[in-house]
Amino acid sequence: MFLEIKDLSVKIENKNILKSLNLNINKGEVHAIMGPNGSGKSTLANVLAGKEDYEILNGRINFKDNDLFDLNIEERAQEGMFLAFQYPVEIPGVNITPFLHSAVNSKRKRMNEEEIDNLSFAKLLKSKASDLGINIDMLKRSVNTGFSGGEKKRYEILQMSILNPDLAILDETDSGLDIDALKIVTDGVNKLKTKENSFLIITHYQKLLDYIKPDYVHVMVNGSIVKSGGSEIAAEIEKDGFQKFQ
Amino acid sequence: MNIQDKYLKNKKNIFFSENKDIQTHREKLINIFENDGFDKKNNESLKNINLKNFIDFEYRYLISEETSVVNNNQENSYSIVSVNGQCLNFKDDKIEITKILDEDYNDFSKNNTIENNDHFVNLNSLFLNSGFKIVIKKNNNIKIKISNIITDDDLTIFQKNNYICEEGSSLNLIEEYENKNNSTLNILNVIKLEKNSQLNHLLIQDNSLNHSLIITSHSSCKKDSTYTQKVYNFSEGYVRNFHYSELIEANSEADLQGIFFLKDNNTSNNKTFVKHLAEDCKSNQVYKGILNDSSKATYFSNTHVDQVAQKTEGYQLSKGILLSDNASYFSKPELKIYADDVKCSHGSTIGPIDENAIFYLRSRGMSKIAATKILISSFINEELNSIDNEQMSEIIQKKLIRYLSKVK
Ligand SMILES: Nc1ncnc2c1ncn2[C@@H]1O[C@H](COP(=O)(O)OP(=O)(O)OP(=O)(O)O)[C@@H](O)[C@H]1O
Ligand SMILES: [Mg+2]
C-alpha cells in the first residue's frame, strides 16, 4: 500500500477532530475528499504533512513502507509528500528561488541524487512558472507576501511541480481561482500526473473534479469518512448538499 | 572607593581637571553621585543595569606605546586607528583632527538640553581621559573609517569625540569596535551637522565577552541636514547603545537604526531619542533584536515634538525574535507631542519565530534549522540590503553567519 491511514483519531486543544478515520490510497490514484466546513479535512492534510500542534490519540499511517510518525516534517517532504496549503503562509523577506532550491536539493540528497546547480534551477523555475502563467516578476517577491488569493494558489502549484511529489495533497487549491486560472492550474496537475504518483484533493466544488478526474470520492463528516465511491458522489453533493450524510 | 575619592585620586590623569568651569561642573556631577541626587525611578539609563558594577570600577588609563595612525589612502578617503581613545592631530584642506579641548567639553555640558540625567554620560564627563574632534570642512565629500583599538586589559576609557560637519559637507563614517580585552570603553560622540550637510554613520560592534562598551551619541541637525545612524551589535560582551538626536532647524532628518544579535547570558540596553524642535523635520527610530539562550535586551524609543515643530513626521518601530524561552526583550516606545500638525506612529512586535512559517518551509523539505536561519536572515533583510558599502555588507554577512552557526 502506498498510503494507508488506519483508525486515526486526532485531537487539538481538548477537541477531538478526527475520529477513527480510515483511508487507503494506491500508487497512481486520485482521491477527492469533500465535506462540510469544520469537518476536519485540513486537519487530516496537516497531520499527514507533520504539523506538530496535534495530539495523535490512536491509529497509524503508513507511507511508502515508512511509519509516517517516525518521519519529521521535512523528512516526509523529502520522501515525496507535498501539501498545497489552504492558506499559504506569507513569509516576508524570503525569496522563493533560494528557498525552493535548497528544498529540492535536500530532497535529492535524501534520494542519493545529484544536486541541481543554481543556473539550472533558475531555468527550471522560470519555465515552470511560465507554464502556470506566473509572471517572472513574482518570482522576485517574498514568498506569498502581498499575493492575491489566486496568486498564492498558483504559487503552491508551482512549488508542487518543481518538487514533483509522489503524494500531493491539495487543500482547496481551487478556491480563490478564477475560471481561467482553474484551467491552468488543473492542467498543471494533470501534466504532473503519472502512474507512479497519487493525489489527495480536498475541495468543496464539483467543478474541480470535472478537470481532474478522481478515481474515488470520499465524504468526510465530523472527523470520519462516512461514504466512499466514484464521481457520482460529487454530483450528489453538488445537488443535495451534505444533509443526508450527517 | 566612592566616586569622589576615585576622581580625586586620578585627577592628574583626567582631562581638564585644572579648568575652573569644568571643575565646577564636575563638582555638581560628584554631588549627584554621592548624594543619590539623580532621579532613579524614571531614569532609563538605570533600567536593567547593575549600577554597582559600573560605579565600583577601578579607574585605570594608559597612553599606549602603539600610536594612532591617520591615513589618507585615497582621495577623500581616510582611515584612522584610534588607540585607547586618542588620535594624532591631522590637517589638510578637507578635514582637521585635533585633540578634544576644554571648550568642547564646556560647549557640551552647557548646551546639552536633550538629556542631562544620563548616568553614564555623567561618568564620561567626570572621568574623561581621551577623545578627539574631527571637522569636515565646507562642501567636502569625505569617507572616514575609524578602528577603535583598546590595547590592554583592565582599562577604563572615558572618551568624548566631536564631529562637526560644516555647511554642505557630506561624511560617510564607519566605526569599528572590535576589542577582545577585559576593558570598558565609555564613549560619547557629539555630532553637529551644519546647514545642508549629511552624515551616514555605520557602527559595527563585535567585542568579546569580557569587554564592555557604553556608547552614547548626541547629534544635532541644522537646516536641511540629515543624520543617519546604523548600529550592528554582534558583541558577546555588554553593550549599551543610547543615541539622542535633536532636529534644531527646519527640514532636517534623523534616522536611528540598530540591530542586535544576542546569545548566552549577554545583555544589551538600547535607547533612541529624537527631539523635534523645528518644522518639516523627519525622524525614524527602528531597532531589531535577535535573542537566543538567556540573553536580555531593553529598548526605549522616544519622540518628542515641540509645539513649534509643525509638519513633523516621526516613526518608531521595535521588533524582536526570541529564539529561546529564557530570552527576554523589553521595549517601550514613547511619544510626546505638543504640536498639532504631526504624523507620528510607533509599533512593537516581539515574539518567538513564526511557527507557521517554519512549518511551511519544512513542509517543502527544508530542515528545521535551515528554516530557522532563513527566517532570521529575512527578519533583517531590509537593513542588510540597505548597506551601500559592499565591503561592509560582506563583513556584516560574515558576522551574521557566525551568529547563525551557534543557533541550534
Ligand atoms: N488550533 C485549533 N484549536 C482549536 N480548534 C481547532 C484548531 N484547529 C482546528 N480546529 C477545529 O477543528 C475543526 C476542523 O478544522 P479543519 O480546518 O480541519 O476543517 P476543514 O474541514 O478543513 O474546514 P473548511 O472546509 O472550512 O476548510 C474545526 O472545528 C476547527 O475549528
Ligand atoms: Mg480546510
Side-chain angles (χ1 to χ4, degrees):
Chain A
M1 188 66 64
F2 182 72
L3 178 79
E4 182 179 20
I5 305 173
K6 197 140 178 56
D7 238 356
L8 182 68
S9 298
V10 168
K11 97 176 180 185
I12 187 165
E13 287 172 15
N14 287 321
K15 190 174 168 201
N16 293 327
I17 312 284
L18 300 182
K19 295 161 191 165
S20 293
L21 185 134
N22 291 291
L23 180 68
N24 294 329
I25 298 179
N26 287 307
K27 237 188 214 176
E29 291 177 351
V30 175
H31 289 239
I33 294 187
M34 302 181 80
N37 292 135
S39 56
K41 303 178 300 295
S42 294
T43 302
L44 175 63
N46 286 335
V47 168
L48 287 171
K51 195 165 193 206
E52 284 156 346
D53 309 348
Y54 304 97
E55 189 184 339
I56 311 295
L57 298 170
N58 188 41
R60 58 184 175 78
I61 306 175
N62 262 296
F63 174 57
K64 287 170 71 183
D65 298 325
N66 297 296
D67 178 344
L68 194 67
F69 297 138
D70 286 346
L71 304 178
N72 68 24
I73 303 164
E74 57 268 31
E75 287 166 338
R76 295 177 194 198
Q78 291 160 8
E79 279 293 324
M81 172 107 58
F82 179 88
L83 169 61
F85 283 57
Q86 181 176 1
Y87 303 110
V89 184
E90 300 200 1
I91 314 181
V94 174
N95 179 271
I96 191 170
T97 312
F99 138 62
L100 205 55
H101 187 196
S102 108
V104 165
N105 277 340
S106 49
K107 182 173 178 182
R108 285 178 174 239
K109 221 166 149 188
R110 188 176 175 95
M111 296 296 148
N112 289 318
E113 290 168 15
E114 209 182 308
E115 295 194 1
I116 177 167
D117 64 80
N118 279 330
L119 203 65
S120 324
F121 182 77
K123 267 193 191 157
L124 178 71
L125 188 63
K126 267 190 196 159
S127 88
K128 297 278 183 192
S130 96
D131 286 352
L132 289 165
I134 292 174
N135 197 315
I136 301 298
D137 284 342
M138 239 171 79
L139 299 179
K140 294 186 190 127
R141 287 166 61 182
S142 297
V143 174
N144 293 321
T145 310
F147 289 11
S148 75
E151 285 170 343
K152 284 181 182 163
K153 296 302 173 79
R154 283 195 210 202
Y155 206 69
E156 293 291 285
I157 298 307
L158 169 65
Q159 295 178 50
M160 179 182 82
S161 50
I162 297 277
L163 289 162
N164 198 8
D166 296 327
L167 173 65
I169 305 159
L170 309 186
D171 190 356
E172 294 196 27
T173 301
D174 52 335
S175 35
L177 290 180
D178 65 47
I179 192 76
D180 297 331
L182 184 64
K183 178 95 181 58
I184 293 168
V185 162
T186 49
D187 278 354
V189 172
N190 286 327
K191 242 190 244 168
L192 211 63
K193 169 108 230 19
T194 67
K195 285 199 181 90
E196 299 299 314
N197 55 24
S198 312
F199 287 81
L200 178 59
I201 293 171
I202 297 168
T203 182
H204 286 293
Y205 306 106
Q206 194 193 0
K207 185 100 201 131
L208 175 70
L209 304 178
D210 292 342
Y211 290 109
I212 308 170
K213 292 271 170 257
D215 300 298
Y216 298 92
V217 176
H218 308 277
V219 182
M220 183 159 164
V221 175
N222 195 13
S224 323
I225 300 232
V226 295
K227 179 155 188 178
S228 301
S231 318
E232 73 284 353
I233 292 185
E236 258 176 71
I237 292 171
E238 188 85 2
K239 197 162 141 274
D240 301 328
F242 292 106
Q243 210 61 44
K244 68 174 177 192
F245 300 102
Q246 308 250 356
Chain B
M1 196 186 299
N2 69 20
I3 293 282
Q4 177 159 31
D5 295 345
K6 228 179 313 224
Y7 175 71
L8 293 174
K9 186 177 156 212
N10 294 293
K11 227 174 142 181
K12 301 182 294 308
N13 213 322
I14 291 172
F15 277 11
F16 320 133
S17 43
E18 301 306 319
N19 180 304
K20 269 268 172 317
D21 277 357
I22 294 179
Q23 261 180 20
T24 318
H25 181 245
R26 283 184 176 150
E27 272 157 26
K28 254 195 265 166
L29 295 180
I30 288 173
N31 218 352
I32 288 176
F33 284 109
E34 295 306 329
N35 302 321
D36 258 5
F38 49 89
D39 169 17
K40 263 189 183 158
K41 204 154 164 245
N42 295 311
N43 194 324
E44 289 174 351
S45 76
L46 298 172
K47 289 260 158 72
N48 296 71
I49 294 273
N50 186 346
L51 193 57
K52 205 164 167 294
N53 284 352
F54 289 95
I55 294 215
D56 285 354
F57 66 92
E58 195 155 322
Y59 181 92
R60 182 165 174 262
Y61 185 75
L62 276 183
I63 294 188
S64 167
E65 310 270 288
E66 289 177 45
T67 46
S68 131
V69 197
V70 180
N71 248 322
N72 183 359
N73 11 24
Q74 285 168 33
E75 211 192 335
N76 300 333
S77 169
Y78 302 80
S79 74
I80 296 173
V81 179
S82 137
V83 180
N84 295 346
Q86 311 245 15
C87 181
L88 288 178
N89 287 357
F90 178 93
K91 187 176 176 174
D92 66 11
D93 55 345
K94 291 171 182 138
I95 71 170
E96 180 168 4
I97 306 174
T98 52
K99 204 175 128 171
I100 191 98
L101 298 174
D102 40 9
E103 63 198 48
D104 301 319
Y105 181 107
N106 279 327
D107 181 48
F108 176 75
S109 64
K110 293 208 173 93
N111 300 324
N112 166 24
T113 50
I114 189 160
E115 173 64 89
N116 40 35
N117 209 10
D118 184 331
H119 190 73
F120 289 89
V121 172
N122 290 346
L123 277 180
N124 179 289
S125 294
L126 195 47
F127 290 97
L128 190 70
N129 52 26
S130 58
F132 48 85
K133 171 172 167 178
I134 301 184
V135 179
I136 312 302
K137 294 184 188 163
K138 238 176 159 172
N139 298 329
N140 280 296
N141 186 342
I142 297 294
K143 286 187 183 133
I144 299 179
K145 182 170 175 181
I146 302 179
S147 305
N148 293 283
I149 307 288
I150 313 286
T151 54
D152 291 80
D153 278 331
D154 305 318
L155 295 185
T156 50
I157 313 263
F158 295 91
Q159 178 181 358
K160 239 188 219 13
N161 290 342
N162 272 26
Y163 293 89
I164 295 171
C165 295
E166 288 187 355
E167 197 174 326
S169 68
S170 164
L171 171 61
N172 244 307
L173 177 62
I174 296 169
E175 281 197 87
E176 288 177 336
Y177 295 88
E178 303 197 3
N179 286 301
K180 306 278 173 259
N181 43 38
N182 183 16
S183 287
T184 301
L185 171 59
N186 177 330
I187 178 168
L188 171 68
N189 282 324
V190 180
I191 297 161
K192 292 191 172 169
L193 285 101
E194 297 293 336
K195 271 183 198 143
N196 197 27
S197 65
Q198 279 187 36
L199 172 49
N200 238 317
H201 195 175
L202 184 66
L203 299 100
I204 315 270
Q205 302 164 347
D206 189 9
N207 297 308
S208 64
L209 182 60
N210 47 10
H211 186 93
S212 298
L213 172 65
I214 291 139
I215 178 160
T216 314
S217 68
H218 275 242
S219 50
S220 62
C221 296
K222 290 202 179 153
K223 195 164 188 292
D224 302 324
S225 68
T226 303
Y227 178 59
T228 306
Q229 183 188 65
K230 293 180 181 173
V231 176
Y232 290 84
N233 175 11
F234 292 94
S235 294
E236 296 186 356
Y238 175 75
V239 179
R240 186 191 97 139
N241 273 296
F242 272 34
H243 301 289
Y244 306 90
S245 246
E246 276 180 307
L247 300 167
I248 52 181
E249 287 182 10
N251 202 32
S252 57
E253 252 181 85
D255 184 358
L256 306 176
Q257 300 177 35
I259 304 184
F260 51 87
F261 302 83
L262 301 182
K263 60 186 173 70
D264 303 324
N265 285 311
N266 199 6
T267 302
S268 176
N269 298 112
N270 305 280
K271 175 175 176 171
T272 55
F273 189 122
V274 179
K275 207 167 186 177
H276 284 259
L277 296 171
E279 54 183 31
D280 285 316
C281 295
K282 280 189 194 147
S283 66
N284 190 45
Q285 302 168 61
V286 178
Y287 267 61
K288 290 185 177 179
I290 296 153
L291 299 98
N292 204 357
D293 309 315
S294 303
S295 58
K296 288 184 182 53
T298 57
Y299 174 47
F300 299 97
S301 67
N302 304 262
T303 308
H304 177 111
V305 183
D306 191 88
Q307 59 186 29
V308 301
Q310 300 296 359
K311 303 211 162 55
T312 287
E313 282 179 37
Y315 181 70
Q316 286 165 255
L317 179 66
S318 142
K319 283 177 110 174
I321 294 185
L322 304 173
L323 295 173
S324 133
D325 291 343
N326 298 322
S328 74
Y329 180 10
F330 175 76
S331 138
K332 185 176 161 208
E334 219 172 71
L335 259 172
K336 285 200 178 120
I337 301 178
Y338 302 99
D340 42 36
D341 184 9
V342 164
K343 266 189 237 159
C344 281
S345 68
H346 63 74
S348 174
T349 46
I350 295 163
I353 206 149
D354 180 358
E355 281 305 323
N356 287 324
I358 295 269
F359 174 55
Y360 188 85
L361 295 172
R362 290 178 77 189
S363 78
R364 272 43 175 152
M366 193 175 237
S367 73
K368 185 176 182 180
I369 181 82
T372 305
K373 288 177 183 180
I374 209 172
L375 289 176
I376 295 174
S377 306
S378 72
F379 175 68
I380 49 173
N381 201 28
E382 208 177 303
E383 285 75 14
L384 295 185
N385 288 338
S386 77
I387 301 171
D388 44 17
N389 180 318
E390 207 169 302
Q391 196 197 349
M392 287 331 285
S393 157
E394 267 171 40
I395 288 174
I396 290 169
Q397 287 286 354
K398 272 200 194 123
K399 293 184 192 297
L400 172 64
I401 289 167
R402 191 194 68 205
Y403 178 82
L404 290 178
S405 74
K406 300 274 167 57
V407 174
K408 293 272 141 47

